[in-house]
Amino acid sequence: MRRALQAVLLAGTLTGLAAAPAQAQEYRYWSFWNGGGKDGSWAYATEGPATLRPADGAVEGFRFTVSADSAAAGKPRTAADFDAVCGTTPAKDGRKRIGIVIDFGTAADAPGGERPPKARTACAQVPADASAGEALAAVARPLRYDSDALLCGIAGYPKSGCADQVKDAGGGAGSGAGKATEADRAHDADRADGADADGGPSAGLLGGGAAVLVLGAAAGWQARRRRG
């Protein structure tokens, strides 16, 4: 199941699916985004944070979301604004500054019993050759992974689960996360303002696609499929 999910989400990233099939199975997971320029927009990442080595001045985003593929994934709700995130961090020789935006999603997207923390930003000052994954690890500990090296939690959220299927109120799968109540929306609006890896692999090995996969693990899976 996990490998099938990885394949679907990675395929959505590489091919830019226009829309999910009707009643497609949805999952709850962390998605990865790149800052799209001076307008503060976001573009869905086509390369994982393990291999992406952004230059000084880049902004990378992570959004907890519910969707069936990359086309339906929620974008970070904080603008990709480097000056706003890193404007007070002075440059240093041999290091670079990467703006990190972490959007914990809406109350409707949260696993049962949890409430999404307030969205946060941080300026990661890391070695010049650091990956986006290493920049995330520098500012958002603890990170949590599953046995297949899938990134399951950032800064301790969510506390459990990993790319779980979303079920409807009747117990069936594939009908979405449900509607937020007025209280949920008010909570989300209030929170939308403004790490050792708990036994998992090195954060520098973080891979990408819709669910922030370890790129090496995905490549290994593809190699095994070819051999099979």
Side-chain angles (χ1 to χ4, degrees):
M1 178 63 73
R2 182 72 65 199
R3 288 177 180 174
L5 170 61
Q6 291 179 352
V8 169
L9 295 176
L10 187 58
T13 299
L14 297 179
T15 61
L17 297 179
Q23 297 183 338
Q25 177 57 61
E26 292 182 313
Y27 295 87
R28 180 179 285 114
Y29 62 92
W30 280 102
S31 58
F32 177 46
W33 301 80
N34 306 135
K38 293 183 178 180
D39 62 352
S41 63
W42 292 102
Y44 202 90
T46 58
E47 181 178 357
T51 56
L52 178 65
R53 299 187 183 278
D56 182 84
V59 184
E60 308 301 334
F62 296 83
R63 166 74 188 265
F64 194 71
T65 188
V66 170
S67 73
D69 59 57
S70 60
K75 298 179 180 181
R77 292 168 292 173
T78 301
D81 186 337
F82 177 79
D83 289 337
V85 179
C86 290
T88 60
T89 303
K92 291 184 179 179
D93 290 342
R95 300 181 71 82
K96 62 185 177 183
R97 298 160 299 167
I98 307 299
I100 299 293
V101 172
I102 304 171
D103 186 333
F104 295 90
T106 68
D109 292 342
E114 294 200 52
R115 296 286 261 177
K118 181 180 178 179
R120 67 174 70 172
T121 63
C123 187
Q125 193 160 62
V126 291
D129 63 348
S131 67
E134 290 168 326
L136 174 67
V139 298
R141 300 170 185 251
L143 305 181
R144 180 171 59 85
Y145 303 84
D146 74 354
S147 59
D148 290 319
L150 187 69
L151 180 62
C152 307
I154 296 176
Y157 183 82
K159 295 178 181 177
S160 61
C162 195
D164 297 329
Q165 291 184 1
V166 176
K167 298 181 180 181
D168 62 23
S175 62
K179 296 182 180 179
T181 64
E182 288 297 330
D184 287 336
R185 284 190 285 270
H187 173 85
D188 293 335
D190 178 63
R191 289 184 174 274
D193 296 333
D196 282 336
D198 287 356
S202 166
L205 295 180
L206 283 174
V212 194
L213 310 177
V214 170
L215 195 63
W221 171 78
Q222 290 173 341
R224 289 193 294 273
R225 183 180 64 173
R226 288 195 295 269
R227 290 198 296 270

